[in-house]
Amino acid sequence: MKTRVLALPTLLLALVGVAQATRTLVDGDASEALGGGKLAQADRVVVYQLTRASGPRFRLPGGPEEVHLFVHLELPQALTQAAPEGRYRFGVVATLRTGAGEPLWERTLTERTRQTRDAGSGEGWNYEAAVAPEGRLELSDSVSVELSVPAAPVGAVLELRLADEAGLLADDAAEIATAIAGPTALVRAYRRIAVDPAETELRRLALAGDAGVRRLAAATYLPWYALPEGQQLQRLASAWERLAAEGRAGVDYEVRSIYLAPPHPPVAPPPVEPSLTIGRGQPVALQVVGPGALELHAWPIGQVTAGAIELRMRRISAGPTAASLAEAAGLGDRSGEAGFGDRSGEAGPRDRSGEAGIGDRSGEAGFGDRSGEAGPRDRSGEAVLGDSLAAGAGEAVEERRTLGLAGNERVREAIALGPGWWTIELHTELPAVAVQLRADAVERHAGPDVHAQHRDDAGRAFVPVDLRSLPLYRGGPGSAPLAFALQAAGDVDARLLEVELRALATMAPVELHYRFVDGEGRTLASGATLTATGVPAPFDRLRPVREAVPEDRSGAVGVAGFALAELAVSEPARLRLLAPLGAAGVQLWSVAPSLLAVHGRLPAPALASDLGPRYTWPYDQVEDPALRWRYVARAAPRGFPRRADDHAARVAAGELMLLQAQVRAEPAVAVEGERSQWRAQHPRGGHARLRLLERVPAERRGETLAHWGPGTYMRLRRGSAEVIDLGAGGPRPARAWYQATGSGSAVVGASMALALGGQALRWTISAREGRRPLPGRGAVELRWSEGPDDLLVLVDRPPGGRSGAPLYEHRQLHRLGPGGLGLTIEKPDAAPVVVNAVLYWIGGPPGEPTTLRVEIDGGQPRRREGSTVQGVTAGSRVLRALPTRRVEVVLPDRRGVATAGVARVAVALGDDLAPGRHTIKITAIGGPATWLRFFRVGVADVRGGALQWNERRDGVSLEDSDDEEE
């Protein structure tokens, strides 16, 4: 305890010392250098000099070490002036020796680098990535070198020096064209250290500020907040320690100081008249928000005698306006940015008080029931509007115009934009046409970036195209298999790879080959799958990459200039590979030309909920369940891009390409369920059960009548007549059921009469509920002619003709008690099996969500490994549920007719789970009490009567489209 008490003051003193040292550096001899604008944000670092003959020596504590080197090559001014965009190659030799000087291990690492500088205007350079004080020498960009040093005895020494070869590369980047005489480099070294668990929390608190979190987040592909708690703790439990050279400065090693500027990728200024380019098979899609005025300018590029462009305008949502988006941006302090790691790009404020809870898709007829859906709307046959789209929300929402082009004539077309969010597409069959969409205000652009930057030199606002940049590896002839490292003992999420495959140049199916290997390179599993990559992607344009690009830039970026692509690409085919245990790597390749991207998968959140938005702002403001956004960042992404093991070499070889995908809204893909019967599943063990009747909603009435079965009832209304078929409806004779809707004393002893065809059925009610047979055959008229008002009369036969009588279905519910509910499910093969759990809250609406834990096979389900899968089934997850709708129910006790809240939770046994018997357990861990029933696809067993109610549903999907992260 004493050690922990002293740890915090010690840590604070260390932080104060670091701050004082930094202040001394800045206030000392660096003050003059920082007076200029270009180094105002630079960091000063101390580095060691490397030559071919000498370099620093670092004493190691013993054992294996992870060492990280950052190296800058000194560049002769003659070379930088002759080849300002040139690339350089050099090598670092690392030698591990014993304390007595005996060599133990040696590695030579060859690296490539360049010099990033921005000339700007005036004299000198406005930006340099690495700068020496007073400009005494020129430096390359920092090169990161990772060393895995084998186990060594205590007191071993790591020596560093430059390799013999260093110089400027030729244009083909294969050989050194001009060698550097007497090369020199500058290096700093770090080693990974473990942090005492007792100090992890102190370290987290010390780094709780924004700067500390950003520094930790820079070590990952994901923002800090998106990392699971376990991964955050893992990173807090390790740190990098700066290695100090052994000996005396100026004698045993040479020390320099340099300045490192923050990343500043050069951005080309917009042209005087920013325009987009469209061509045959390469349209553009622009996102705008009204009301307002637009003007389209278009002119052909090259020699064109005649042609046309087609303007397609579609309102995708009548809700958002420029004013509402601006207000949401102001309330959320977003500044118009939606970067992947930037919380400022999260979903904007939106009133969700009227939304349903988990599982609600707003367009569904009910839980699991899609029979009432209209599906994605086909707009191809709609009427064309007139010259203006300033129409009301209830009028047509699409217009097409054809604009003729002749010679080099500029065409102008005025557009009056109505309220709401619109997508404007521009198509042509000409080789190339320049287009520009001018706006009456910069706020007319509906994208997430800063709108004020989209002006030309005259100050006129224009609408850019919103893009997402995706780095892709090129595969096919001449390309080696892509290799990705895996955790041999990782959990199921760490072993899942999501592969996106696209056909390149030729639109045809591409066969993807894969092979999983262990640490020794032995094959554990392999296979091939033919993917559907024959559909072209006209809105995606492929660019060559001549230098390193960042990872998947998920935030949409507005681009003013948008050139045509040289090669066509297909829509992506997505598949998932689940690595077997013990796999240390995977290799992917194709025979046909292709493009590949590989993503890892974050573990499922500890608390699953559908209550938040799907997309980042401002796209979350569009609330149409029939639409989905393409290439928009998710509000809670689970995927992250993976780099190939030889990423740097593939970039240098030109095997990394950049796909610029246009953000756009498309009709949601309808998942059509097979119109088959569903059967109830009953949990094991002893628990309370409740039988009730649930009223059939109007949108399911036709389906219920068409598939009438045991447990379905029609309610008779007093005084009205219904025609029923006494022979249809089930194996049992027809019966009438009656039940008091309140106290039984109000109905016991009263006379009751039904008129069935030409006969009268009379009796005296002796209990609060009972039943009477309905004798006869064929279609007859049934009338409730006499009886008390506080009575519910039901018939287990369907009505004929145009009846409006209410219909009810029998349900058996199971109480979710402290011990939970368990099911045993037989999975016959690899095909997925979906078990639906329907939750009931009887009485008033719950004041808070019910929190459930869902476990499959105790959290460790058996899986199919080393094969393609649709996804990974979570062994355990926690979710919150709220009612998505309220229904009328009839209870068997004196409560009679009541209401209940209903929600559906689907538990999918995915194709990654092995065939055989699996157990599902649902436990309540918080919130109001609830009742459950379960059903799955299959043929109902009616031998047990109504207790085996035959549930029928259409369109229950295995996975929601949210799982597809583009």
Side-chain angles (χ1 to χ4, degrees):
M1 176 62 74
K2 183 176 180 180
T3 303
R4 294 192 180 187
V5 172
L6 294 176
L8 182 58
T10 303
L11 179 61
L12 293 177
L13 288 174
L15 292 175
V16 170
V18 172
Q20 185 63 38
T22 305
R23 180 177 301 175
T24 302
L25 286 174
V26 174
D27 295 341
D29 59 347
S31 59
E32 182 178 355
L34 293 176
K38 69 177 180 180
L39 294 182
Q41 302 296 324
D43 294 326
R44 181 175 179 177
V45 297
V46 176
V47 292
Y48 300 108
Q49 178 177 284
L50 284 180
T51 66
R52 292 171 176 169
S54 64
R57 303 169 72 249
F58 303 105
R59 184 76 62 177
L60 301 179
E65 295 285 349
E66 291 184 45
V67 178
H68 205 158
L69 308 178
F70 295 91
V71 188
H72 298 266
L73 183 65
E74 293 187 6
L75 305 176
Q77 290 188 354
L79 289 183
T80 60
Q81 293 175 0
E85 299 295 328
R87 291 185 173 274
Y88 301 84
R89 189 173 72 193
F90 68 96
V92 176
V93 180
T95 305
L96 183 66
R97 300 182 183 273
T98 65
E102 296 295 329
L104 297 173
W105 170 87
E106 184 173 281
R107 287 290 184 275
T108 300
L109 299 101
T110 302
E111 300 293 336
R112 301 187 183 195
T113 186
R114 63 188 299 271
Q115 185 183 40
T116 299
R117 298 197 296 187
D118 181 12
S121 58
E123 297 181 358
W125 300 93
N126 284 346
Y127 175 85
E128 292 184 74
V131 183
E134 301 177 1
R136 293 191 299 266
L137 51 89
E138 296 190 15
L139 301 175
S140 73
D141 297 348
S142 175
V143 175
S144 175
V145 180
E146 297 180 5
L147 284 174
S148 295
V149 180
V154 176
V157 175
L158 180 66
E159 297 180 353
L160 300 178
R161 63 177 179 86
L162 271 183
D164 294 336
E165 270 195 337
L168 176 67
L169 290 172
D171 292 339
D172 60 1
E175 300 293 339
I176 292 180
T178 305
I180 299 177
T184 303
L186 305 176
V187 65
R188 49 199 166 103
Y190 300 81
R191 75 179 185 95
R192 186 188 294 275
I193 61 172
V195 178
D196 190 318
E199 299 179 10
T200 299
E201 180 64 14
L202 296 176
R203 186 165 179 257
R204 186 186 68 82
L205 294 174
L207 294 171
D210 181 68
V213 171
R214 287 179 182 272
R215 182 160 62 85
L216 287 173
T220 72
Y221 290 149
L222 295 172
W224 181 253
Y225 73 88
L227 293 176
E229 183 179 359
Q231 295 188 20
Q232 291 181 355
L233 293 176
Q234 181 184 6
R235 283 161 174 76
L236 289 171
S238 65
W240 290 94
E241 178 186 64
R242 177 74 184 265
L243 291 176
E246 190 176 55
R248 292 179 299 167
V251 177
D252 299 296
Y253 57 85
E254 296 291 334
V255 177
R256 304 274 189 88
S257 63
I258 63 174
Y259 293 96
L260 300 180
H264 180 69
V267 178
V272 175
E273 188 172 18
S275 61
L276 310 172
T277 308
I278 61 175
R280 184 181 299 107
Q282 298 190 52
V284 294
L286 307 174
Q287 310 301 323
V288 294
V289 61
L294 303 172
E295 187 177 55
L296 174 64
H297 291 234
W299 59 97
I301 298 176
Q303 298 297 324
V304 176
T305 57
I309 64 172
E310 184 181 20
L311 171 68
R312 303 176 186 175
M313 305 154 63
R314 178 167 54 97
R315 179 165 59 192
I316 63 176
S317 176
T321 63
S324 67
L325 291 181
E327 180 181 0
L331 292 174
D333 189 21
R334 288 171 178 80
S335 304
E337 296 187 10
F340 182 75
D342 182 6
R343 298 305 295 266
S344 62
E346 289 188 348
R350 193 171 78 185
D351 181 11
R352 300 182 177 275
S353 57
E355 287 193 2
I358 186 169
D360 180 49
R361 291 292 176 265
S362 305
E364 297 184 8
F367 49 89
D369 177 24
R370 298 177 184 265
S371 57
E373 285 190 358
R377 185 176 179 184
D378 180 9
R379 305 182 187 275
S380 58
E382 289 189 353
V384 177
L385 296 178
D387 296 331
S388 172
L389 279 180
E395 299 183 19
V397 291
E398 183 170 347
E399 179 183 7
R400 298 193 180 194
R401 306 181 190 177
T402 300
L403 309 177
L405 296 174
N408 293 321
E409 177 184 356
R410 178 186 292 262
V411 174
R412 299 183 180 183
E413 180 75 0
I415 304 171
L417 199 64
W421 189 308
W422 299 79
T423 291
I424 296 180
E425 295 181 7
L426 301 173
H427 300 252
T428 186
E429 290 299 318
L430 292 174
V433 176
V435 294
Q436 183 188 60
L437 190 62
R438 296 181 182 176
D440 57 346
V442 293
E443 292 78 13
R444 206 60 56 229
H445 175 217
D449 57 353
V450 180
H451 302 319
Q453 64 180 313
H454 301 306
R455 295 182 183 272
D456 59 16
D457 288 355
R460 295 170 298 196
F462 60 88
V463 179
V465 60
D466 295 320
L467 299 177
R468 179 170 172 182
S469 297
L470 306 172
L472 304 173
Y473 293 107
R474 193 178 65 195
S479 297
L482 281 166
F484 295 87
L486 300 173
Q487 297 182 22
D491 59 17
V492 64
D493 290 297
R495 292 184 285 121
L496 180 68
L497 290 177
E498 299 180 338
V499 182
E500 288 188 2
L501 186 67
R502 291 172 169 85
L504 177 61
T506 302
M507 301 299 101
V510 174
E511 187 174 45
L512 177 69
H513 299 259
Y514 59 90
R515 178 169 57 238
F516 293 101
V517 297
D518 61 10
E520 303 298 326
R522 294 186 295 262
T523 300
L524 299 180
S526 62
T529 180
L530 190 65
T531 59
T533 53
V535 179
F539 291 95
D540 301 342
R541 300 188 185 181
L542 192 64
R543 312 292 187 201
V545 175
R546 296 182 176 85
E547 59 185 46
V549 298
E551 304 307 317
D552 176 0
R553 293 179 289 194
S554 300
V557 178
V559 175
F562 192 40
L564 297 178
E566 296 180 2
L567 296 175
V569 297
S570 73
E571 289 285 355
R574 295 180 174 85
L575 65 150
R576 293 169 177 165
L577 299 171
L578 183 59
L581 281 171
V586 63
Q587 298 173 0
L588 306 172
W589 72 95
S590 67
V591 176
S594 63
L595 298 168
L596 293 98
V598 178
H599 289 74
R601 190 78 165 166
L602 287 175
L607 184 63
S609 175
D610 274 359
L611 303 182
R614 297 173 61 188
Y615 302 106
T616 52
W617 183 88
Y619 305 102
D620 65 318
Q621 306 297 307
V622 176
E623 305 180 50
D624 189 347
L627 294 175
R628 66 162 182 157
W629 283 107
R630 296 288 306 275
Y631 302 108
V632 167
R634 299 300 175 115
R638 288 191 58 194
F640 62 94
R642 291 286 308 269
R643 279 187 169 188
D645 296 345
D646 57 347
H647 175 82
R650 289 183 182 269
V651 173
E655 293 186 4
L656 186 71
M657 309 197 75
L658 193 67
L659 186 76
Q660 293 182 327
Q662 300 182 51
V663 170
R664 59 196 184 276
E666 292 184 350
V669 179
V671 181
E672 295 294 339
E674 184 180 351
R675 298 188 63 88
S676 61
Q677 296 177 332
W678 297 79
R679 65 181 180 187
Q681 297 287 143
H682 296 290
R684 311 181 309 269
H687 53 268
R689 292 171 170 81
L690 175 66
R691 300 173 61 184
L692 56 77
L693 297 176
E694 179 182 336
R695 184 166 180 172
V696 175
E699 59 269 15
R700 289 194 53 243
R701 183 180 179 88
E703 178 197 0
T704 302
L705 291 172
H707 299 88
W708 194 276
T712 311
Y713 302 90
M714 174 192 67
R715 180 176 177 178
L716 280 179
R717 292 165 293 187
R718 185 173 176 179
S720 63
E722 300 289 346
V723 176
I724 64 172
D725 187 347
L726 296 177
R732 293 176 175 175
R735 296 179 182 180
W737 305 71
Y738 60 89
Q739 175 184 323
T741 58
S743 174
S745 60
V747 299
V748 173
S751 297
M752 181 69 182
L754 297 177
L756 181 64
Q759 58 180 322
L761 305 177
R762 293 183 175 275
W763 71 95
T764 300
I765 300 175
S766 58
R768 68 180 314 276
E769 63 178 17
R771 59 190 177 190
R772 299 286 293 185
L774 301 177
R777 294 180 178 273
V780 296
E781 182 182 90
L782 177 64
R783 180 188 301 271
W784 178 12
S785 58
E786 183 181 340
D789 293 332
D790 299 333
L791 201 66
L792 181 72
V793 179
L794 302 165
V795 181
D796 60 358
R797 292 299 186 267
R802 302 176 60 85
S803 171
L807 306 180
Y808 293 82
E809 295 175 331
H810 177 274
R811 308 293 192 212
Q812 174 162 298
L813 309 185
H814 306 269
R815 179 78 174 187
L816 184 59
L821 295 173
L823 294 169
T824 299
I825 302 297
E826 192 71 30
K827 191 170 183 284
D829 49 31
V833 173
V834 179
V835 178
N836 296 272
V838 184
L839 286 71
Y840 288 78
W841 293 265
I842 299 175
E848 60 177 319
T850 295
T851 305
L852 308 173
R853 176 179 288 109
V854 181
E855 292 182 320
I856 301 176
D857 297 339
Q860 299 293 330
R862 295 175 291 105
R863 302 184 187 272
R864 297 171 50 244
E865 298 177 343
S867 60
T868 59
V869 296
Q870 293 183 12
V872 165
T873 304
S876 177
R877 61 181 176 136
V878 176
L879 52 87
R880 294 182 298 174
L882 281 173
T884 60
R885 65 186 182 100
R886 298 198 64 78
V887 297
E888 177 186 310
V889 296
V890 179
L891 301 170
D893 53 28
R894 62 182 302 163
R895 290 176 290 179
V897 179
T899 60
V902 178
R904 178 178 65 89
V905 174
V907 181
L909 305 181
D911 66 342
D912 62 313
L913 298 191
R917 182 169 296 180
H918 295 271
T919 60
I920 298 174
K921 186 173 184 179
I922 298 181
T923 308
I925 58 177
T930 184
W931 296 78
L932 280 82
R933 65 182 176 91
F934 304 89
F935 66 92
R936 56 172 289 198
V937 67
V939 178
D941 182 4
V942 299
R943 291 173 297 177
L947 292 181
Q948 292 288 338
W949 160 240
N950 174 5
E951 176 89 22
R952 299 180 184 88
R953 291 289 183 265
D954 289 328
V956 178
S957 61
L958 173 63
E959 291 184 75
D960 190 81
S961 60
D962 289 350
D963 198 44
E964 182 181 287
E965 294 183 3
E966 292 185 325

